[in-house]
Amino acid sequence: MWRIAGASAAGASHLRAGTPCQDAFSYHLLPGEVVLLIAADGAGSAQRGQLGAELAVQAASGGCIVDTVEGCDGEVSTLVALVQHAFYSARQALDAACDGPQSLRELATTLQVLLIGPRGWAYGGVGDGGGVGRDDTGTWTVSPPHQNVYVNETIFLTSEYELRTASGAEVLTGAALFTDGLERLAMRTSDWTPHPGFFGPVFRLLELTQDTSAANKLLALLGSERVQQRTDDDCTLVICVKGDDRA
Amino acid sequence: MSDDLLTDIGFADNADPRCPCVLLIDVSSSMSGDPIKAVNEGLAAFQRETAADSVASRRVEVAVVTFGTGASVVQDFVTVDQFVPPELQAGGQTHMGAGVETALNLLAQRKAVYKTNGISCYRPWIFMITDGSPYGELDNVVESARQRLLQELTDNKTAFFAVGTETANFTRLQTFTAPSRPPMKLVGLKFVDLFVWLSRSQQAVAQSQVGQQVALPPAGWAAV
């Protein structure tokens, strides 16, 4: 039995500038006990980055839902194919929503997709932000970030991108995706390992809280002064934990 | 009980990302007197302005390289809160090629240090100030430095700004810069205004978010 929750909060720099939160997220429980987590960060420099993030998330989740409408075997190779198709669908949606390169750039957004099945997981990402997985060995990153990209520059779904992918046969009992506003709070940036003091309690929060109020708690966390003092940017966190089946 | 769950959540204590900036300054003999005095006042103003911004003072790292007859690292990279503005002296030729090479080497070393320590960084800036054009160096030395610089600009490894006083050779300077960022002409000896602008620009960069095109403040010190 999976518990899933997510929240986005606008960062202080967006509040100051009067721009809305440009992150978007989504999650679904697909057939075959497969969890789908999606997060996107619309570019602050793009005029319609928020719309780009929302379109990308909708199209990516729509693609995965349609693909699994007749069931999903949960094999890692299937999850990998679903990730690929999610990105294809997202880019197609952005292409369809614009009428030339100029307006495509206006929809610039990052995108991350993580699928967790009973026999493994698959991840895909364009741009910054990251994901972690938890199994009985601990919590670890599913994919290190792109190298050689400067702090205030990243790669977007709207440009010529290279999809960063990863997959594994680990059986996950928890997973999370986060956008770059949370990177420096949730990860040790020197070696890109998850900060245990962050993910341990976050997973526990979801384990101990009913789904709807868990989302409210995540929202309270992201909007809290403790977080807002540490990051200026929009923050999104989507997490899932596997509950105890015996309970 | 719900509040306990939230307050249990701790955050990683990561080093601030760094915003490296090399000030590459012409100290040839023609800079003697009022010009070098104005540059020194400008450096002090840069330190004052940047240090007053708490985020920028931790993130902006400044180094000073001068070129006259040869080039020297007057100040290796320090964060602005540690930066003591030097008192530069002028004299000698204009070995701009050596200056550019020294600045690029210093940046490459610094980036290696960031990498070893897992510190992320913004795109580095080299900010060159001159009142002339390359002089006293072999043509191939200048040319090889210029080609290396242009390659780094093409590869997005650095952003290069060239500022000339009214006596500078702008036609020559333009061959060192990216088409999108032509050399700028300083009005009179407004070095204090120039460095205050540089400080504001670096403050904007140090606080910028991912994907943000940093809008630089208007350059009130530059001739249009």
Side-chain angles (χ1 to χ4, degrees):
Chain A
M1 179 67 191
W2 285 99
R3 287 187 174 181
I4 320 175
S8 283
S13 66
H14 287 239
L15 296 173
R16 272 199 306 275
T19 49
C21 176
Q22 289 166 320
D23 283 3
F25 70 90
S26 180
Y27 54 80
H28 298 274
L29 186 60
L30 301 174
E33 285 287 296
V34 172
V35 175
L36 167 65
L37 306 181
I38 305 182
D41 179 356
S45 59
Q47 291 187 22
R48 301 192 290 161
Q50 184 193 12
L51 177 63
E54 284 170 5
L55 286 174
V57 166
Q58 279 170 19
S61 57
C64 290
I65 290 168
V66 169
D67 285 350
T68 56
V69 86
E70 291 177 4
C72 177
D73 62 14
E75 296 301 331
V76 176
S77 57
T78 305
L79 304 184
V80 168
L82 281 172
V83 165
Q84 293 285 347
H85 191 222
F87 276 85
Y88 176 80
S89 308
R91 174 60 194 256
Q92 285 237 305
L94 296 185
D95 284 336
C98 71
D99 42 28
Q102 183 58 43
S103 81
L104 183 60
R105 270 199 298 278
E106 291 173 6
L107 297 170
T109 181
T110 69
L111 182 64
Q112 298 186 81
V113 174
L114 181 57
L115 282 152
I116 304 108
R119 284 176 294 283
W121 56 275
Y123 168 86
V126 168
D128 48 20
V132 300
R134 184 186 70 171
D135 64 3
D136 45 18
T137 68
T139 302
W140 30 266
T141 178
V142 295
S143 171
H146 280 293
Q147 291 298 309
N148 304 322
V149 173
Y150 296 117
V151 175
N152 55 340
E153 301 170 18
T154 191
I155 299 157
F156 296 113
L157 193 59
T158 45
S159 45
E160 288 292 314
Y161 66 84
E162 190 184 330
L163 180 59
R164 189 158 48 102
T165 55
S167 59
E170 291 88 355
V171 176
L172 300 187
T173 59
L177 284 181
F178 52 88
T179 56
D180 79 298
L182 273 181
E183 272 180 7
R184 297 174 47 73
L185 283 70
M187 301 298 279
R188 187 164 73 187
T189 56
S190 55
D191 58 0
W192 205 250
T193 51
H195 181 59
F198 181 81
F199 285 105
V202 164
F203 284 132
R204 196 155 60 243
L205 182 144
L206 190 56
E207 279 160 353
L208 297 178
T209 319
Q210 288 303 321
D211 290 8
T212 48
S213 65
N216 290 336
K217 289 206 172 69
L218 287 185
L219 193 58
L221 169 72
L222 300 183
S224 69
E225 231 180 279
R226 296 170 64 224
V227 166
Q228 296 279 329
Q229 277 170 355
R230 288 174 170 81
T231 182
D232 227 15
D233 201 1
D234 294 342
C235 297
T236 292
L237 184 62
V238 204
I239 55 172
C240 63
V241 292
K242 189 146 196 170
D244 193 337
D245 289 337
R246 291 163 300 180
Chain B
M1 110 124 193
S2 62
D3 288 346
D4 288 350
L5 285 173
L6 285 181
T7 50
D8 277 353
I9 295 168
F11 304 112
D13 189 16
N14 289 304
D16 270 299
R18 303 303 161 89
C19 197
C21 179
V22 181
L23 306 176
L24 178 58
I25 300 172
D26 181 346
V27 292
S28 60
S29 53
S30 55
M31 288 287 289
S32 302
D34 288 343
I36 201 69
K37 193 163 157 252
V39 167
N40 286 330
E41 286 166 3
L43 288 173
F46 174 79
Q47 191 277 334
R48 238 182 1 253
E49 286 279 324
T50 317
D53 178 319
S54 66
V55 173
S57 74
R58 293 195 314 272
R59 295 187 170 186
V60 176
E61 289 196 333
V62 64
V64 181
V65 173
T66 58
F67 57 98
T69 304
S72 47
V73 179
V74 175
Q75 169 72 64
D76 202 345
F77 280 108
V78 281
T79 49
V80 166
D81 52 354
Q82 309 286 320
F83 176 51
V84 179
E87 279 289 320
L88 302 178
Q89 310 280 333
Q93 298 176 325
T94 312
H95 292 188
M96 192 180 286
V100 166
E101 290 276 5
T102 306
L104 292 176
N105 290 341
L106 198 63
L107 263 182
Q109 285 166 21
R110 194 63 184 169
K111 285 206 261 188
V113 171
Y114 294 151
K115 196 168 181 191
T116 309
N117 293 284
I119 294 174
S120 47
C121 80
Y122 295 84
R123 185 184 309 193
W125 280 25
I126 297 176
F127 202 84
M128 184 174 80
I129 291 167
T130 181
D131 70 338
S133 61
Y135 179 73
E137 279 174 307
L138 290 173
D139 282 350
N140 64 339
V141 172
V142 180
E143 187 53 21
S144 129
R146 189 180 77 86
Q147 292 294 347
R148 181 177 166 199
L149 174 64
L150 292 180
Q151 189 58 50
E152 293 220 355
L153 298 184
T154 308
D155 297 344
N156 279 336
K157 285 188 177 169
T158 182
F160 183 72
F161 295 78
V163 177
T165 64
E166 280 156 0
T167 57
N169 180 344
F170 283 88
T171 315
R172 187 79 179 97
L173 269 187
Q174 193 147 14
T175 66
F176 283 78
T177 56
S180 57
R181 198 163 271 147
M184 294 176 282
K185 186 185 276 187
L186 185 70
V187 176
L189 292 175
K190 288 192 163 187
F191 280 109
V192 170
D193 296 4
L194 166 67
F195 277 105
V196 167
W197 174 87
L198 178 62
S199 169
R200 301 243 162 97
S201 304
Q202 290 279 284
Q203 290 172 40
V205 171
Q207 285 161 21
S208 62
Q209 304 300 329
V210 166
Q212 218 170 47
Q213 299 266 351
V214 179
L216 300 180
W221 45 269
V224 181

